[in-house]
Amino acid sequence: MRAPSPDPSTPARPERVAVIAIHGVADQKAGDTARAIASLMLNHPGPGATYRQADCDSHLLPVPPLTSMVQRRTGHPTSAQGGAAQKAYVPPVRKAMRQSKTSDFSADDWISSAESDDAGVVRAAKGRGPLTPRELKKSNPDIAFSDYLLFKSQRAEPDHEAYEATRVRMTRDATDAHGQPVQQRIDVHEMYWADLSRLPGSVARIVAELFTIVFRLSQLGRDAVDRAAEAAGVNRKPRPPGARRWACLASLQTTLDWAFANLLANLFLQLLLIGLVIAGLGALARVEPAPSALSLTELLRRVLAVAVPVLAVWWYSYQARPGLSGRIVVGLYALLAGWLLWAQLPAHWVVGLTWLALLAALADRALRIARDRFPAARTWGLGLMALTAAALLLHVALNAAAAGGTDDLRHWVRAGMRVVEYLLLGVVAWWGVAGVLLIGWLVAGQSVPDRDAAARASIATGRLGLFVSVAAFVALSMVFWAVLTNIVELGAKNVDYAPFWFGKGIYWADGANFLHGRYEKSTQAFALTAGLTLSLLAYLVAVLVPSLFAELKVAFGTSERLGHWLGAGYRRLDFFVTFLTSASVLIACAVALLLVLKQCGVSVGGRIDDAVVWVSALSQTGLKPLIFTAATLAAAVSLLGGFLSRAVPGLRMPLDVALDVDGHFREFPRRAIPRARIFSRYVSLLEHVAAQGYDRIVVVAHSQGTVISTELLRYLQFRAAQKVDTRVTELWTALNRSRLLLLTAGCPLRQLYAARFPHLYAWVTTEAANGGGPSAAQVGVDRWVNLYTAGDYVGRWLWGPDDKSYAQVTASPAWGAAPEHEACLGLGAHTHYFDLDQAHVARWIDWMVTAPR
């Protein structure tokens, strides 16, 4: 019998659809992406359909931290279970030293601590029960890394948060094939994460993040090489053939990265500290060239003799809250200190020590910020600072004794110039050792066996990270020194000095001339450093200029030409970086050899000497405009940074991309790991959406948001299958009651992540879905649609061969035989997928909202 036809007079329940909008790299504010997608759907509905917007609201969601699988199985304490609070995570010195060399994830520290008391995970028979952390790392390293970050974050007791989620409610009206009205209720929810992993607004934090990126790029390269070496079997016993060379390469990469971040950077910090000592005390000495009855130095000594003990007593009383007897003892100590400062210590000692202590406190503040990102930076910085201060005070005492105990701040200036020589010798020694290591590093990278595509990509990532980090740091250091040198030279003006190493035997009547000579000698290779760095920049500009024109919506050829130009440029990038790295190492070794020969009094010939003079003159000529450029850029960032980033988002795009990629891998500070915080917020939003009982859920993601979405969905699906905890299992079950669909735009999974970190993202390229690429089933969705433009420099295609057609797809959206589908939108770049003129994007979203299975 035929089933009775539905009564047309009885309206069917409107289908309820949730669209989860997650943004990518740009300067969005909370709510912008949800409103942009809703506006796009309103202005470009599907054929025969209309959208009516009901309202736009927001609601607060609790965001409890998402615990790792390890914590749920092993019973490690969480914040909810009353674990010991760690308001400021400070690792022990030995552990910090180990973490400065390699990630805990690579060193298996995570596995050791996780499995030490994991009786619940030890299974009775192989293949039964959930995977152990060690097995998870071998089979699914990307999922293991996400769980590792959650594990480290939770052990540091992160704060609970609240998320204000934006929601846009709309109604879609259409007619079915029988002419009957069909209505859908569509809610657009936004998953906003820019506040957790984006460039901050204040200038001080921008500078801190810039320097963090400089050092983090080298670490990312180190981690890529570590994973390649691990895949080659360096940790197996016995080691397979060729693993020894991989171990050598990984060790050299780690040593160079460690020495760069912990030694070279701290040497330059001490140079800055001593430079400010010379500038401040030298300027004070110049104010009073002749002794007077009550000099400015003597006046400062008396003020400090009163202020320092009073402030010390106040601070101790505030911190320790002592009793009456304790206050009496502290007061007596303060009186003794005041008497010593007022009557016993020479004025130049009181003023000099106070200035040094103030600068050391500021330097320690910078080191504390660095420690939050690089665990051993403060330990080595404080060690070098202690040696620097000891050498400075020793030479102040020697200078004062040689002058008959006279009270003169010029003793500090002369001592400062002597310490500058020590530090410059340390920098020269660093480059001498690093030059040998760099040669071995290059040779090791070329000689490792079994260099498949993943191995070559990992080595290239290591080279790119180290080259860009060191070159950027050296260039920035030279520019900062160029800015600072004028102030330091003023402090040393008219102070005589006799060097012990640089220009030994020459007596300088004016210390400013000595320091200026050191500045010119130290920066004479700036032209070479800048030339190599600018070569890489020029290559990238040449590759990206057509895409930048597309970003500004200026036609620049056809989409086919644009796509193939960008693809060819990216394919040749590794070769170009290898060439630049090799040239940099050879030039650095040549410069070091010339310096050694010159110090030994060996002549190298007229033409070489002429070339050195020419390069030195070119360096000074190039540095002078950079002094004003640096000041101008600082002012522009301070005054116009927000306006420029909103008006021309492409200007800040490279930095935003770097910050987003770095934030996705960043492990420190432990209490604010970006991926852990983003995952926790995303899961809270998914729980809220799943509880509403939607018939289908469509995730619409752009750029970095596509990486976050796919990795989280992949992680949740895997974790639910392991049945580790009820929270994730119930969430995934609830999500699967709805039809889960995914639309990605400008997805960098293949073009950036799998290309730079192939072993961590092997699942993107090793699966065979739709001609080669990640499968919809692996991320737990029914359908996966990927949209891209020909000139998208962040992310383009996901499936099929690399050499694809970039012609614009104009066909109407429709499901194919495979659950994965992608389409090229033609000319375009990375930041305009959700603009109001993107009708094809709107049609695809509308199709996913309404299409049958």
Side-chain angles (χ1 to χ4, degrees):
M1 296 178 60
R2 176 180 294 182
S5 59
D7 184 1
S9 63
T10 305
R13 180 184 70 86
E15 184 185 30
R16 299 181 65 239
V17 181
V19 176
I20 299 178
I22 176 166
H23 64 82
V25 290
D27 196 21
Q28 298 96 339
K29 296 180 181 179
D32 284 356
T33 306
R35 283 187 282 269
I37 290 177
S39 299
L40 190 62
M41 297 170 70
L42 283 168
N43 284 276
H44 300 282
T50 58
Y51 282 94
R52 292 183 286 111
Q53 183 172 356
D55 55 19
C56 177
D57 59 11
S58 62
H59 48 277
L60 287 174
L61 297 177
V63 184
L66 177 64
T67 58
S68 71
M69 288 188 282
V70 168
Q71 286 162 314
R72 304 307 302 178
R73 295 186 304 195
T74 63
H76 279 287
T78 66
S79 56
Q81 296 168 330
Q86 300 180 28
K87 292 301 180 184
Y89 176 77
V90 181
V93 173
R94 179 178 295 181
K95 185 175 182 179
M97 292 296 179
R98 187 186 70 247
Q99 290 172 337
S100 69
K101 297 176 183 178
T102 187
S103 165
D104 283 347
F105 184 72
S106 299
D108 282 356
D109 173 78
W110 164 62
I111 292 175
S112 300
S113 60
E115 294 186 346
S116 59
D117 56 349
D118 192 4
V121 179
V122 177
R123 295 161 300 168
K126 186 176 180 181
R128 296 178 59 189
L131 293 177
T132 65
R134 194 177 302 276
E135 292 169 333
L136 178 60
K137 184 179 177 182
K138 290 179 180 179
S139 60
N140 295 280
D142 59 305
I143 295 174
F145 188 66
S146 293
D147 203 62
Y148 158 78
L149 293 178
L150 292 171
F151 177 73
K152 290 296 184 180
S153 173
Q154 192 64 20
R155 294 190 75 188
E157 293 287 337
D159 295 328
H160 286 244
E161 300 176 355
Y163 170 53
E164 185 177 2
T166 301
R167 176 178 57 187
V168 181
R169 293 181 173 181
M170 299 188 298
T171 300
R172 184 184 188 274
D173 296 309
T175 56
D176 61 15
H178 304 287
Q180 298 297 321
V182 177
Q183 190 177 83
Q184 290 176 295
R185 302 295 174 88
I186 300 172
D187 294 342
V188 181
H189 301 265
E190 180 175 270
M191 169 55 207
Y192 184 73
W193 55 270
D195 56 324
L196 305 178
S197 175
R198 188 53 55 83
L199 190 67
S202 65
V203 176
R205 292 191 64 191
I206 288 176
V207 172
E209 289 299 329
L210 283 173
F211 274 94
T212 299
I213 284 294
V214 167
F215 294 102
R216 279 288 297 159
L217 291 176
S218 176
Q219 282 193 351
L220 290 174
R222 177 204 68 188
D223 291 342
V225 172
D226 279 347
R227 294 186 187 104
E230 187 174 354
V234 295
N235 295 330
R236 300 177 199 163
K237 293 181 180 180
R239 285 179 173 175
R244 186 179 300 275
R245 295 184 185 179
W246 272 105
C248 178
L249 173 62
S251 297
L252 289 171
Q253 184 92 34
T254 298
T255 301
L256 288 167
D257 170 74
W258 178 88
F260 164 57
N262 294 283
L263 295 184
L264 184 63
N266 275 307
L267 283 171
F268 275 91
L269 178 63
Q270 306 315 311
L271 277 172
L272 174 62
L273 175 69
I274 296 300
L276 293 176
V277 168
I278 295 173
L281 299 181
L284 186 59
R286 291 184 63 201
V287 173
E288 43 186 34
S292 58
L294 184 60
S295 64
L296 181 59
T297 306
E298 180 63 27
L299 179 62
L300 285 174
R301 189 264 291 273
R302 296 184 182 183
V303 171
L304 292 171
V306 176
V308 169
V310 170
L311 291 174
V313 171
W314 171 80
W315 182 250
Y316 177 78
S317 300
Y318 177 76
Q319 291 289 332
R321 297 181 181 179
L324 178 61
S325 59
R327 293 178 183 178
I328 294 175
V329 172
V330 172
L332 292 175
Y333 275 118
L335 290 175
L336 177 62
W339 174 72
L340 289 174
L341 293 173
W342 185 284
Q344 299 301 311
L345 288 177
H348 79 91
W349 275 105
V350 176
V351 174
L353 284 172
T354 303
W355 180 238
L356 178 62
L358 178 61
L359 293 176
L362 293 175
D364 182 57
R365 175 59 182 165
L367 288 172
R368 288 176 183 273
I369 295 174
R371 181 197 59 195
D372 290 340
R373 296 157 173 81
F374 309 98
R378 185 168 181 260
T379 301
W380 286 100
L382 289 179
L384 284 174
M385 192 187 302
L387 292 175
T388 301
L392 178 69
L393 297 177
L394 174 63
H395 283 286
V396 170
L398 293 175
N399 293 339
T406 57
D407 194 358
D408 192 352
L409 285 173
R410 291 171 179 80
H411 302 327
W412 288 80
V413 177
R414 296 187 186 94
M417 287 189 280
R418 180 56 54 88
V419 175
V420 166
E421 285 196 83
Y422 293 152
L423 293 173
L424 289 178
L425 271 176
V427 172
V428 171
W430 189 96
W431 280 109
V433 175
V436 177
L437 295 177
L438 284 168
I439 293 176
W441 171 66
L442 276 177
V443 173
Q446 293 299 120
S447 63
V448 291
D450 301 327
R451 286 162 49 93
D452 57 8
R456 291 193 301 270
S458 299
I459 294 172
T461 301
R463 288 173 176 169
L464 181 63
L466 186 62
F467 172 81
V468 173
S469 287
V470 174
F473 176 79
V474 170
L476 288 172
S477 299
M478 289 183 177
V479 172
F480 271 100
W481 198 350
V483 174
L484 185 65
T485 188
N486 294 323
I487 304 173
V488 178
E489 289 173 14
L490 284 176
K493 192 171 182 61
N494 298 325
V495 178
D496 59 310
Y497 180 67
F500 90 101
W501 184 264
F502 296 102
K504 183 178 181 181
I506 302 175
Y507 176 77
W508 297 87
D510 189 348
N513 294 330
F514 165 75
L515 290 176
H516 187 75
R518 285 297 93 216
Y519 157 72
E520 290 188 339
K521 296 294 185 184
S522 299
T523 58
Q524 64 184 1
F526 174 78
L528 298 175
T529 303
L532 291 168
T533 307
L534 290 175
S535 297
L536 178 59
L537 182 61
Y539 179 87
L540 293 176
V541 167
V543 172
L544 296 177
V545 157
S547 294
L548 295 178
F549 273 98
E551 198 75 84
L552 299 173
K553 298 187 177 181
V554 177
F556 201 92
T558 65
S559 61
E560 287 279 1
R561 184 177 301 174
L562 175 59
H564 289 299
W565 174 265
L566 183 62
Y570 279 166
R571 284 194 298 272
R572 298 188 182 100
L573 177 61
D574 290 350
F575 172 79
F576 190 74
V577 169
T578 299
F579 168 76
L580 279 184
T581 306
S582 304
S584 301
V585 171
L586 293 177
I587 291 173
C589 292
V591 171
L593 180 61
L594 289 175
L595 289 175
V596 172
L597 292 176
K598 190 170 184 179
Q599 290 295 324
C600 296
V602 179
S603 177
V604 293
R607 290 187 177 180
I608 297 180
D609 286 338
D610 292 342
V612 171
V613 172
W614 179 80
V615 171
S616 179
L618 183 62
S619 297
Q620 304 312 314
T621 303
L623 274 171
K624 289 178 181 178
L626 281 178
I627 299 174
F628 301 101
T629 303
T632 303
L633 287 176
V637 170
S638 302
L639 300 176
L640 303 174
F643 170 76
L644 290 175
S645 63
R646 289 189 297 271
V648 190
L651 291 179
R652 62 176 287 169
M653 189 60 60
L655 183 57
D656 275 335
V657 171
L659 283 171
D660 287 335
V661 173
D662 172 51
H664 200 61
F665 295 104
R666 190 177 291 189
E667 303 178 28
F668 294 97
R670 294 296 202 205
R671 297 186 69 245
I673 296 176
R675 191 189 299 198
R677 299 176 70 191
I678 293 170
F679 274 21
S680 296
R681 180 181 293 182
Y682 207 155
V683 166
S684 294
L685 179 62
L686 289 174
E687 288 176 327
H688 171 75
V689 170
Q692 307 305 309
Y694 290 101
D695 297 291
R696 73 174 73 193
I697 300 172
V698 181
V699 178
V700 179
H702 172 233
S703 187
Q704 182 66 16
T706 68
V707 179
I708 294 169
S709 297
T710 53
E711 291 217 66
L712 177 62
L713 292 174
R714 179 173 158 84
Y715 175 79
L716 293 178
Q717 178 179 238
F718 179 88
R719 179 166 171 170
Q722 296 290 299
K723 298 181 179 179
V724 175
D725 62 330
T726 58
R727 182 188 181 189
V728 172
T729 303
E730 291 177 354
L731 170 60
W732 193 251
T733 302
L735 289 174
N736 278 275
R737 293 193 189 104
S738 308
R739 189 183 181 196
L740 191 57
L741 307 171
L742 174 64
L743 183 143
T744 55
C747 178
L749 274 174
R750 182 162 178 173
Q751 183 169 279
L752 177 59
Y753 281 86
R756 294 294 101 195
F757 311 101
H759 292 92
L760 200 58
Y761 288 88
W763 65 275
V764 175
T765 55
T766 57
E767 295 181 14
N770 202 10
S775 69
Q778 281 293 322
V779 297
V781 297
D782 290 345
R783 296 276 181 173
W784 184 353
V785 174
N786 181 58
L787 305 178
Y788 63 94
T789 59
D792 194 326
Y793 42 85
V794 175
R796 293 186 291 178
W797 75 96
L798 291 176
W799 299 286
D802 290 347
D803 192 13
K804 297 177 70 71
S805 172
Y806 294 97
Q808 182 177 0
V809 177
T810 58
S812 298
W815 295 140
E820 302 85 17
H821 180 85
E822 63 185 349
C824 178
L825 303 179
L827 283 171
H830 186 66
T831 62
H832 299 290
Y833 285 99
F834 301 147
D835 286 2
L836 286 179
D837 59 353
Q838 293 292 333
H840 204 64
V841 177
R843 294 291 177 82
W844 265 109
I845 297 176
D846 183 77
W847 174 256
M848 299 185 77
V849 165
T850 62
R853 292 181 181 271

